[in-house]
Amino acid sequence: SHIDELVQELLGPHNCVSIDLSDLESGWGDIIINKLWISIEEIHNTGSPRKKIASIIKRLTTVKRMFGNMKYGKFIQAEVYASLMMNSNEQTALSIKEEDRRPFVYKMDNEGLENKESNHIEGDLLQEWLAGDDGYGKILNAYQKRDLSEFSPTDWPPQTVAKQEMVDATMGSKYKEVIDAWHNKSWPFTQQSNIYAPQHIAKLLKVNPNGIEKVFTSLGCKPLARVENIEFIIYD
């Protein structure tokens, strides 16, 4: 939250907006158009709205312009250039895949009840410095002098441990049918068979083939060292 407040102060309140998931789902263009910074506090959702929220976020980070239905005005078309910042205490805040290149996920290293007191002390000191020692001006000056000559906005952001943890934490819901079928030894698994092709299982159960091998590894399966020229015949 401190990072969010800091950035909003530097960019100016008219360039920023703080919203919740219901605002994002509403589809109003007012909250997106002509903004540099969109922050969503405590993002987390479950069930069918989860997929819709993920779709909206993907669209906002992909499209260059949108035709917005303005709550307090007419439809307008405008460029979309806002950065999205989402905070959450949940490891399953968003369903993301390993190949999703846009999310930059990082985890604070001061979690836990044992850090609660020190967090409050540090937060108070930071606020005091920002307000009383021209902290905002000093940070803005540092940003303006930062060398961006080697920065490419189209490159992948750092692939962090926190992102991998979120991928792993949300993978179970996407592959639940695979995991349930495995434990129940129901179709397409059987009591008699011990060898399976992960990509083939993914096709049969219509799940994303990316990450399916990781599911099999988590189930205790071991890959064969060498498999060639295998054909499959599927019986009911």
PDB file of all heavy atoms in Angstrom, residues 186-220:
ATOM      1  N   SER A 186     -10.048 -43.395 -12.644  1.00  0.00           N
ATOM      2  CA  SER A 186     -11.157 -43.385 -13.589  1.00  0.00           C
ATOM      3  C   SER A 186     -10.657 -42.887 -14.944  1.00  0.00           C
ATOM      4  O   SER A 186      -9.533 -42.394 -15.053  1.00  0.00           O
ATOM      5  CB  SER A 186     -12.295 -42.502 -13.075  1.00  0.00           C
ATOM      6  OG  SER A 186     -11.846 -41.181 -12.830  1.00  0.00           O
ATOM      7  N   TRP A 187     -11.500 -42.999 -15.965  1.00  0.00           N
ATOM      8  CA  TRP A 187     -11.095 -42.642 -17.329  1.00  0.00           C
ATOM      9  C   TRP A 187     -10.467 -41.259 -17.358  1.00  0.00           C
ATOM     10  O   TRP A 187     -10.947 -40.342 -16.709  1.00  0.00           O
ATOM     11  CB  TRP A 187     -12.331 -42.665 -18.242  1.00  0.00           C
ATOM     12  CG  TRP A 187     -12.009 -42.390 -19.679  1.00  0.00           C
ATOM     13  CD1 TRP A 187     -11.683 -43.301 -20.630  1.00  0.00           C
ATOM     14  CD2 TRP A 187     -11.975 -41.109 -20.309  1.00  0.00           C
ATOM     15  NE1 TRP A 187     -11.444 -42.666 -21.824  1.00  0.00           N
ATOM     16  CE2 TRP A 187     -11.605 -41.315 -21.656  1.00  0.00           C
ATOM     17  CE3 TRP A 187     -12.179 -39.807 -19.883  1.00  0.00           C
ATOM     18  CZ2 TRP A 187     -11.464 -40.289 -22.575  1.00  0.00           C
ATOM     19  CZ3 TRP A 187     -12.043 -38.766 -20.781  1.00  0.00           C
ATOM     20  CH2 TRP A 187     -11.689 -39.010 -22.114  1.00  0.00           C
ATOM     21  N   PRO A 188      -9.362 -41.106 -18.075  1.00  0.00           N
ATOM     22  CA  PRO A 188      -8.693 -42.061 -18.986  1.00  0.00           C
ATOM     23  C   PRO A 188      -7.629 -42.932 -18.313  1.00  0.00           C
ATOM     24  O   PRO A 188      -6.864 -43.604 -18.997  1.00  0.00           O
ATOM     25  CB  PRO A 188      -8.049 -41.128 -20.014  1.00  0.00           C
ATOM     26  CG  PRO A 188      -7.706 -39.908 -19.232  1.00  0.00           C
ATOM     27  CD  PRO A 188      -8.792 -39.747 -18.214  1.00  0.00           C
ATOM     28  N   PHE A 189      -7.572 -42.905 -16.982  1.00  0.00           N
ATOM     29  CA  PHE A 189      -6.637 -43.779 -16.271  1.00  0.00           C
ATOM     30  C   PHE A 189      -7.321 -45.110 -15.950  1.00  0.00           C
ATOM     31  O   PHE A 189      -8.549 -45.179 -15.884  1.00  0.00           O
ATOM     32  CB  PHE A 189      -6.166 -43.112 -14.976  1.00  0.00           C
ATOM     33  CG  PHE A 189      -5.532 -41.768 -15.191  1.00  0.00           C
ATOM     34  CD1 PHE A 189      -6.192 -40.598 -14.842  1.00  0.00           C
ATOM     35  CD2 PHE A 189      -4.268 -41.661 -15.750  1.00  0.00           C
ATOM     36  CE1 PHE A 189      -5.616 -39.351 -15.044  1.00  0.00           C
ATOM     37  CE2 PHE A 189      -3.677 -40.420 -15.959  1.00  0.00           C
ATOM     38  CZ  PHE A 189      -4.360 -39.271 -15.605  1.00  0.00           C
ATOM     39  N   THR A 190      -6.531 -46.140 -15.747  1.00  0.00           N
ATOM     40  CA  THR A 190      -7.085 -47.453 -15.401  1.00  0.00           C
ATOM     41  C   THR A 190      -6.237 -48.098 -14.315  1.00  0.00           C
ATOM     42  O   THR A 190      -5.103 -47.686 -14.064  1.00  0.00           O
ATOM     43  CB  THR A 190      -7.098 -48.398 -16.625  1.00  0.00           C
ATOM     44  OG1 THR A 190      -5.741 -48.731 -16.963  1.00  0.00           O
ATOM     45  CG2 THR A 190      -7.786 -47.760 -17.819  1.00  0.00           C
ATOM     46  N   GLN A 191      -6.820 -49.098 -13.689  1.00  0.00           N
ATOM     47  CA  GLN A 191      -6.080 -49.846 -12.663  1.00  0.00           C
ATOM     48  C   GLN A 191      -4.962 -50.675 -13.291  1.00  0.00           C
ATOM     49  O   GLN A 191      -3.973 -50.976 -12.644  1.00  0.00           O
ATOM     50  CB  GLN A 191      -7.049 -50.784 -11.922  1.00  0.00           C
ATOM     51  CG  GLN A 191      -8.126 -50.087 -11.118  1.00  0.00           C
ATOM     52  CD  GLN A 191      -7.609 -49.504  -9.819  1.00  0.00           C
ATOM     53  OE1 GLN A 191      -6.432 -49.658  -9.488  1.00  0.00           O
ATOM     54  NE2 GLN A 191      -8.483 -48.824  -9.092  1.00  0.00           N
ATOM     55  N   GLN A 192      -5.133 -51.045 -14.581  1.00  0.00           N
ATOM     56  CA  GLN A 192      -4.185 -51.970 -15.208  1.00  0.00           C
ATOM     57  C   GLN A 192      -2.980 -51.268 -15.835  1.00  0.00           C
ATOM     58  O   GLN A 192      -1.960 -51.899 -16.077  1.00  0.00           O
ATOM     59  CB  GLN A 192      -4.902 -52.787 -16.301  1.00  0.00           C
ATOM     60  CG  GLN A 192      -5.969 -53.740 -15.795  1.00  0.00           C
ATOM     61  CD  GLN A 192      -7.269 -53.040 -15.452  1.00  0.00           C
ATOM     62  OE1 GLN A 192      -7.552 -51.967 -15.973  1.00  0.00           O
ATOM     63  NE2 GLN A 192      -8.049 -53.639 -14.570  1.00  0.00           N
ATOM     64  N   SER A 193      -3.100 -49.969 -16.121  1.00  0.00           N
ATOM     65  CA  SER A 193      -2.031 -49.282 -16.857  1.00  0.00           C
ATOM     66  C   SER A 193      -1.152 -48.464 -15.924  1.00  0.00           C
ATOM     67  O   SER A 193      -1.638 -47.844 -14.969  1.00  0.00           O
ATOM     68  CB  SER A 193      -2.633 -48.366 -17.927  1.00  0.00           C
ATOM     69  OG  SER A 193      -3.376 -49.139 -18.855  1.00  0.00           O
ATOM     70  N   ASN A 194       0.126 -48.446 -16.219  1.00  0.00           N
ATOM     71  CA  ASN A 194       1.083 -47.684 -15.419  1.00  0.00           C
ATOM     72  C   ASN A 194       1.848 -46.643 -16.226  1.00  0.00           C
ATOM     73  O   ASN A 194       2.649 -45.903 -15.674  1.00  0.00           O
ATOM     74  CB  ASN A 194       2.097 -48.634 -14.766  1.00  0.00           C
ATOM     75  CG  ASN A 194       1.439 -49.546 -13.761  1.00  0.00           C
ATOM     76  OD1 ASN A 194       0.682 -49.086 -12.918  1.00  0.00           O
ATOM     77  ND2 ASN A 194       1.699 -50.842 -13.866  1.00  0.00           N
ATOM     78  N   ILE A 195       1.627 -46.633 -17.551  1.00  0.00           N
ATOM     79  CA  ILE A 195       2.354 -45.700 -18.405  1.00  0.00           C
ATOM     80  C   ILE A 195       1.347 -44.816 -19.156  1.00  0.00           C
ATOM     81  O   ILE A 195       0.398 -45.324 -19.753  1.00  0.00           O
ATOM     82  CB  ILE A 195       3.245 -46.459 -19.421  1.00  0.00           C
ATOM     83  CG1 ILE A 195       4.303 -47.269 -18.681  1.00  0.00           C
ATOM     84  CG2 ILE A 195       3.921 -45.470 -20.374  1.00  0.00           C
ATOM     85  CD1 ILE A 195       5.162 -48.128 -19.576  1.00  0.00           C
ATOM     86  N   TYR A 196       1.578 -43.503 -19.100  1.00  0.00           N
ATOM     87  CA  TYR A 196       0.677 -42.551 -19.752  1.00  0.00           C
ATOM     88  C   TYR A 196       1.488 -41.475 -20.448  1.00  0.00           C
ATOM     89  O   TYR A 196       2.614 -41.176 -20.048  1.00  0.00           O
ATOM     90  CB  TYR A 196      -0.252 -41.883 -18.724  1.00  0.00           C
ATOM     91  CG  TYR A 196      -1.086 -42.857 -17.942  1.00  0.00           C
ATOM     92  CD1 TYR A 196      -0.684 -43.272 -16.682  1.00  0.00           C
ATOM     93  CD2 TYR A 196      -2.270 -43.370 -18.466  1.00  0.00           C
ATOM     94  CE1 TYR A 196      -1.443 -44.170 -15.948  1.00  0.00           C
ATOM     95  CE2 TYR A 196      -3.035 -44.268 -17.745  1.00  0.00           C
ATOM     96  CZ  TYR A 196      -2.618 -44.671 -16.488  1.00  0.00           C
ATOM     97  OH  TYR A 196      -3.373 -45.565 -15.784  1.00  0.00           O
ATOM     98  N   ALA A 197       0.908 -40.896 -21.481  1.00  0.00           N
ATOM     99  CA  ALA A 197       1.525 -39.763 -22.174  1.00  0.00           C
ATOM    100  C   ALA A 197       0.814 -38.487 -21.713  1.00  0.00           C
ATOM    101  O   ALA A 197      -0.370 -38.298 -22.025  1.00  0.00           O
ATOM    102  CB  ALA A 197       1.398 -39.927 -23.685  1.00  0.00           C
ATOM    103  N   PRO A 198       1.496 -37.624 -20.974  1.00  0.00           N
ATOM    104  CA  PRO A 198       0.849 -36.422 -20.422  1.00  0.00           C
ATOM    105  C   PRO A 198       0.139 -35.565 -21.460  1.00  0.00           C
ATOM    106  O   PRO A 198      -0.998 -35.140 -21.247  1.00  0.00           O
ATOM    107  CB  PRO A 198       2.019 -35.667 -19.772  1.00  0.00           C
ATOM    108  CG  PRO A 198       3.008 -36.721 -19.437  1.00  0.00           C
ATOM    109  CD  PRO A 198       2.892 -37.737 -20.534  1.00  0.00           C
ATOM    110  N   GLN A 199       0.793 -35.318 -22.608  1.00  0.00           N
ATOM    111  CA  GLN A 199       0.188 -34.468 -23.626  1.00  0.00           C
ATOM    112  C   GLN A 199      -1.089 -35.110 -24.183  1.00  0.00           C
ATOM    113  O   GLN A 199      -2.043 -34.416 -24.543  1.00  0.00           O
ATOM    114  CB  GLN A 199       1.184 -34.209 -24.764  1.00  0.00           C
ATOM    115  CG  GLN A 199       2.469 -33.523 -24.321  1.00  0.00           C
ATOM    116  CD  GLN A 199       2.227 -32.121 -23.803  1.00  0.00           C
ATOM    117  OE1 GLN A 199       1.414 -31.393 -24.359  1.00  0.00           O
ATOM    118  NE2 GLN A 199       2.920 -31.734 -22.744  1.00  0.00           N
ATOM    119  N   HIS A 200      -1.087 -36.449 -24.241  1.00  0.00           N
ATOM    120  CA  HIS A 200      -2.251 -37.166 -24.737  1.00  0.00           C
ATOM    121  C   HIS A 200      -3.406 -37.039 -23.745  1.00  0.00           C
ATOM    122  O   HIS A 200      -4.557 -36.822 -24.125  1.00  0.00           O
ATOM    123  CB  HIS A 200      -1.872 -38.635 -24.939  1.00  0.00           C
ATOM    124  CG  HIS A 200      -2.940 -39.444 -25.586  1.00  0.00           C
ATOM    125  ND1 HIS A 200      -3.377 -39.209 -26.865  1.00  0.00           N
ATOM    126  CD2 HIS A 200      -3.687 -40.477 -25.117  1.00  0.00           C
ATOM    127  CE1 HIS A 200      -4.331 -40.079 -27.173  1.00  0.00           C
ATOM    128  NE2 HIS A 200      -4.539 -40.848 -26.122  1.00  0.00           N
ATOM    129  N   ILE A 201      -3.101 -37.148 -22.443  1.00  0.00           N
ATOM    130  CA  ILE A 201      -4.110 -36.989 -21.396  1.00  0.00           C
ATOM    131  C   ILE A 201      -4.698 -35.583 -21.451  1.00  0.00           C
ATOM    132  O   ILE A 201      -5.908 -35.383 -21.310  1.00  0.00           O
ATOM    133  CB  ILE A 201      -3.503 -37.259 -20.010  1.00  0.00           C
ATOM    134  CG1 ILE A 201      -2.997 -38.709 -19.907  1.00  0.00           C
ATOM    135  CG2 ILE A 201      -4.495 -36.946 -18.903  1.00  0.00           C
ATOM    136  CD1 ILE A 201      -4.068 -39.754 -19.970  1.00  0.00           C
ATOM    137  N   ALA A 202      -3.825 -34.594 -21.664  1.00  0.00           N
ATOM    138  CA  ALA A 202      -4.282 -33.199 -21.741  1.00  0.00           C
ATOM    139  C   ALA A 202      -5.274 -33.027 -22.886  1.00  0.00           C
ATOM    140  O   ALA A 202      -6.279 -32.321 -22.754  1.00  0.00           O
ATOM    141  CB  ALA A 202      -3.094 -32.265 -21.930  1.00  0.00           C
ATOM    142  N   LYS A 203      -5.008 -33.692 -24.004  1.00  0.00           N
ATOM    143  CA  LYS A 203      -5.897 -33.595 -25.165  1.00  0.00           C
ATOM    144  C   LYS A 203      -7.235 -34.275 -24.885  1.00  0.00           C
ATOM    145  O   LYS A 203      -8.297 -33.756 -25.231  1.00  0.00           O
ATOM    146  CB  LYS A 203      -5.213 -34.222 -26.380  1.00  0.00           C
ATOM    147  CG  LYS A 203      -5.976 -34.033 -27.679  1.00  0.00           C
ATOM    148  CD  LYS A 203      -5.182 -34.575 -28.863  1.00  0.00           C
ATOM    149  CE  LYS A 203      -5.932 -34.365 -30.169  1.00  0.00           C
ATOM    150  NZ  LYS A 203      -5.166 -34.910 -31.327  1.00  0.00           N
ATOM    151  N   LEU A 204      -7.187 -35.429 -24.241  1.00  0.00           N
ATOM    152  CA  LEU A 204      -8.409 -36.169 -23.945  1.00  0.00           C
ATOM    153  C   LEU A 204      -9.313 -35.405 -22.986  1.00  0.00           C
ATOM    154  O   LEU A 204     -10.531 -35.364 -23.158  1.00  0.00           O
ATOM    155  CB  LEU A 204      -8.062 -37.534 -23.331  1.00  0.00           C
ATOM    156  CG  LEU A 204      -7.516 -38.609 -24.274  1.00  0.00           C
ATOM    157  CD1 LEU A 204      -7.076 -39.818 -23.468  1.00  0.00           C
ATOM    158  CD2 LEU A 204      -8.560 -39.010 -25.297  1.00  0.00           C
ATOM    159  N   LEU A 205      -8.712 -34.803 -21.959  1.00  0.00           N
ATOM    160  CA  LEU A 205      -9.496 -34.106 -20.945  1.00  0.00           C
ATOM    161  C   LEU A 205      -9.671 -32.628 -21.252  1.00  0.00           C
ATOM    162  O   LEU A 205     -10.208 -31.879 -20.447  1.00  0.00           O
ATOM    163  CB  LEU A 205      -8.843 -34.293 -19.573  1.00  0.00           C
ATOM    164  CG  LEU A 205      -8.855 -35.735 -19.050  1.00  0.00           C
ATOM    165  CD1 LEU A 205      -8.174 -35.825 -17.692  1.00  0.00           C
ATOM    166  CD2 LEU A 205     -10.277 -36.257 -18.952  1.00  0.00           C
ATOM    167  N   LYS A 206      -9.161 -32.213 -22.419  1.00  0.00           N
ATOM    168  CA  LYS A 206      -9.343 -30.824 -22.886  1.00  0.00           C
ATOM    169  C   LYS A 206      -8.848 -29.796 -21.869  1.00  0.00           C
ATOM    170  O   LYS A 206      -9.548 -28.843 -21.515  1.00  0.00           O
ATOM    171  CB  LYS A 206     -10.808 -30.562 -23.241  1.00  0.00           C
ATOM    172  CG  LYS A 206     -11.319 -31.413 -24.399  1.00  0.00           C
ATOM    173  CD  LYS A 206     -12.770 -31.091 -24.710  1.00  0.00           C
ATOM    174  CE  LYS A 206     -13.251 -31.828 -25.960  1.00  0.00           C
ATOM    175  NZ  LYS A 206     -13.162 -33.276 -25.862  1.00  0.00           N
ATOM    176  N   VAL A 207      -7.620 -30.033 -21.380  1.00  0.00           N
ATOM    177  CA  VAL A 207      -6.986 -29.051 -20.497  1.00  0.00           C
ATOM    178  C   VAL A 207      -5.746 -28.512 -21.194  1.00  0.00           C
ATOM    179  O   VAL A 207      -5.263 -29.081 -22.175  1.00  0.00           O
ATOM    180  CB  VAL A 207      -6.601 -29.662 -19.133  1.00  0.00           C
ATOM    181  CG1 VAL A 207      -7.840 -30.106 -18.383  1.00  0.00           C
ATOM    182  CG2 VAL A 207      -5.618 -30.815 -19.298  1.00  0.00           C
ATOM    183  N   ASN A 208      -5.245 -27.419 -20.662  1.00  0.00           N
ATOM    184  CA  ASN A 208      -4.070 -26.782 -21.255  1.00  0.00           C
ATOM    185  C   ASN A 208      -2.872 -27.721 -21.167  1.00  0.00           C
ATOM    186  O   ASN A 208      -2.500 -28.158 -20.075  1.00  0.00           O
ATOM    187  CB  ASN A 208      -3.775 -25.480 -20.501  1.00  0.00           C
ATOM    188  CG  ASN A 208      -2.792 -24.601 -21.243  1.00  0.00           C
ATOM    189  OD1 ASN A 208      -1.865 -25.096 -21.872  1.00  0.00           O
ATOM    190  ND2 ASN A 208      -2.993 -23.308 -21.167  1.00  0.00           N
ATOM    191  N   PRO A 209      -2.242 -28.052 -22.299  1.00  0.00           N
ATOM    192  CA  PRO A 209      -1.104 -28.978 -22.265  1.00  0.00           C
ATOM    193  C   PRO A 209       0.131 -28.396 -21.584  1.00  0.00           C
ATOM    194  O   PRO A 209       0.994 -29.145 -21.132  1.00  0.00           O
ATOM    195  CB  PRO A 209      -0.819 -29.256 -23.747  1.00  0.00           C
ATOM    196  CG  PRO A 209      -1.397 -28.090 -24.473  1.00  0.00           C
ATOM    197  CD  PRO A 209      -2.582 -27.646 -23.677  1.00  0.00           C
ATOM    198  N   ASN A 210       0.201 -27.059 -21.492  1.00  0.00           N
ATOM    199  CA  ASN A 210       1.339 -26.455 -20.816  1.00  0.00           C
ATOM    200  C   ASN A 210       1.212 -26.675 -19.312  1.00  0.00           C
ATOM    201  O   ASN A 210       0.231 -26.298 -18.694  1.00  0.00           O
ATOM    202  CB  ASN A 210       1.397 -24.955 -21.104  1.00  0.00           C
ATOM    203  CG  ASN A 210       1.613 -24.671 -22.565  1.00  0.00           C
ATOM    204  OD1 ASN A 210       2.553 -25.164 -23.166  1.00  0.00           O
ATOM    205  ND2 ASN A 210       0.714 -23.895 -23.166  1.00  0.00           N
ATOM    206  N   GLY A 211       2.189 -27.309 -18.744  1.00  0.00           N
ATOM    207  CA  GLY A 211       2.160 -27.548 -17.308  1.00  0.00           C
ATOM    208  C   GLY A 211       1.643 -28.922 -16.922  1.00  0.00           C
ATOM    209  O   GLY A 211       1.713 -29.304 -15.766  1.00  0.00           O
ATOM    210  N   ILE A 212       1.123 -29.697 -17.909  1.00  0.00           N
ATOM    211  CA  ILE A 212       0.557 -31.005 -17.584  1.00  0.00           C
ATOM    212  C   ILE A 212       1.628 -31.960 -17.058  1.00  0.00           C
ATOM    213  O   ILE A 212       1.372 -32.774 -16.171  1.00  0.00           O
ATOM    214  CB  ILE A 212      -0.162 -31.617 -18.812  1.00  0.00           C
ATOM    215  CG1 ILE A 212      -0.952 -32.873 -18.431  1.00  0.00           C
ATOM    216  CG2 ILE A 212       0.819 -31.930 -19.929  1.00  0.00           C
ATOM    217  CD1 ILE A 212      -2.213 -32.606 -17.681  1.00  0.00           C
ATOM    218  N   GLU A 213       2.848 -31.835 -17.572  1.00  0.00           N
ATOM    219  CA  GLU A 213       3.919 -32.703 -17.090  1.00  0.00           C
ATOM    220  C   GLU A 213       4.258 -32.400 -15.632  1.00  0.00           C
ATOM    221  O   GLU A 213       4.624 -33.296 -14.871  1.00  0.00           O
ATOM    222  CB  GLU A 213       5.160 -32.563 -17.976  1.00  0.00           C
ATOM    223  CG  GLU A 213       4.935 -33.130 -19.370  1.00  0.00           C
ATOM    224  CD  GLU A 213       6.203 -33.152 -20.211  1.00  0.00           C
ATOM    225  OE1 GLU A 213       7.296 -33.103 -19.615  1.00  0.00           O
ATOM    226  OE2 GLU A 213       6.091 -33.220 -21.436  1.00  0.00           O
ATOM    227  N   LYS A 214       4.111 -31.120 -15.257  1.00  0.00           N
ATOM    228  CA  LYS A 214       4.357 -30.756 -13.860  1.00  0.00           C
ATOM    229  C   LYS A 214       3.303 -31.390 -12.949  1.00  0.00           C
ATOM    230  O   LYS A 214       3.587 -31.776 -11.819  1.00  0.00           O
ATOM    231  CB  LYS A 214       4.351 -29.241 -13.716  1.00  0.00           C
ATOM    232  CG  LYS A 214       4.814 -28.756 -12.349  1.00  0.00           C
ATOM    233  CD  LYS A 214       4.918 -27.257 -12.293  1.00  0.00           C
ATOM    234  CE  LYS A 214       6.101 -26.756 -13.089  1.00  0.00           C
ATOM    235  NZ  LYS A 214       6.329 -25.323 -12.923  1.00  0.00           N
ATOM    236  N   VAL A 215       2.067 -31.498 -13.462  1.00  0.00           N
ATOM    237  CA  VAL A 215       1.004 -32.156 -12.698  1.00  0.00           C
ATOM    238  C   VAL A 215       1.373 -33.607 -12.444  1.00  0.00           C
ATOM    239  O   VAL A 215       1.262 -34.113 -11.321  1.00  0.00           O
ATOM    240  CB  VAL A 215      -0.346 -32.071 -13.443  1.00  0.00           C
ATOM    241  CG1 VAL A 215      -1.411 -32.899 -12.735  1.00  0.00           C
ATOM    242  CG2 VAL A 215      -0.802 -30.633 -13.556  1.00  0.00           C
ATOM    243  N   PHE A 216       1.850 -34.278 -13.494  1.00  0.00           N
ATOM    244  CA  PHE A 216       2.223 -35.682 -13.350  1.00  0.00           C
ATOM    245  C   PHE A 216       3.384 -35.848 -12.366  1.00  0.00           C
ATOM    246  O   PHE A 216       3.414 -36.784 -11.575  1.00  0.00           O
ATOM    247  CB  PHE A 216       2.592 -36.274 -14.719  1.00  0.00           C
ATOM    248  CG  PHE A 216       1.413 -36.819 -15.467  1.00  0.00           C
ATOM    249  CD1 PHE A 216       0.520 -35.960 -16.088  1.00  0.00           C
ATOM    250  CD2 PHE A 216       1.169 -38.173 -15.542  1.00  0.00           C
ATOM    251  CE1 PHE A 216      -0.583 -36.443 -16.771  1.00  0.00           C
ATOM    252  CE2 PHE A 216       0.071 -38.677 -16.221  1.00  0.00           C
ATOM    253  CZ  PHE A 216      -0.818 -37.814 -16.841  1.00  0.00           C
ATOM    254  N   THR A 217       4.317 -34.926 -12.406  1.00  0.00           N
ATOM    255  CA  THR A 217       5.435 -34.980 -11.464  1.00  0.00           C
ATOM    256  C   THR A 217       4.936 -34.820 -10.036  1.00  0.00           C
ATOM    257  O   THR A 217       5.381 -35.519  -9.123  1.00  0.00           O
ATOM    258  CB  THR A 217       6.459 -33.871 -11.782  1.00  0.00           C
ATOM    259  OG1 THR A 217       6.924 -34.043 -13.130  1.00  0.00           O
ATOM    260  CG2 THR A 217       7.649 -33.930 -10.844  1.00  0.00           C
ATOM    261  N   SER A 218       3.981 -33.894  -9.833  1.00  0.00           N
ATOM    262  CA  SER A 218       3.437 -33.673  -8.491  1.00  0.00           C
ATOM    263  C   SER A 218       2.666 -34.890  -7.988  1.00  0.00           C
ATOM    264  O   SER A 218       2.504 -35.075  -6.780  1.00  0.00           O
ATOM    265  CB  SER A 218       2.535 -32.431  -8.487  1.00  0.00           C
ATOM    266  OG  SER A 218       1.335 -32.675  -9.194  1.00  0.00           O
ATOM    267  N   LEU A 219       2.181 -35.724  -8.916  1.00  0.00           N
ATOM    268  CA  LEU A 219       1.457 -36.937  -8.539  1.00  0.00           C
ATOM    269  C   LEU A 219       2.403 -38.106  -8.263  1.00  0.00           C
ATOM    270  O   LEU A 219       1.954 -39.204  -7.952  1.00  0.00           O
ATOM    271  CB  LEU A 219       0.477 -37.321  -9.648  1.00  0.00           C
ATOM    272  CG  LEU A 219      -0.668 -36.329  -9.903  1.00  0.00           C
ATOM    273  CD1 LEU A 219      -1.444 -36.719 -11.146  1.00  0.00           C
ATOM    274  CD2 LEU A 219      -1.584 -36.240  -8.704  1.00  0.00           C
ATOM    275  N   GLY A 220       3.711 -37.859  -8.376  1.00  0.00           N
ATOM    276  CA  GLY A 220       4.697 -38.899  -8.095  1.00  0.00           C
ATOM    277  C   GLY A 220       5.100 -39.726  -9.297  1.00  0.00           C
ATOM    278  O   GLY A 220       5.774 -40.755  -9.154  1.00  0.00           O
TER     279      GLY A 220
END
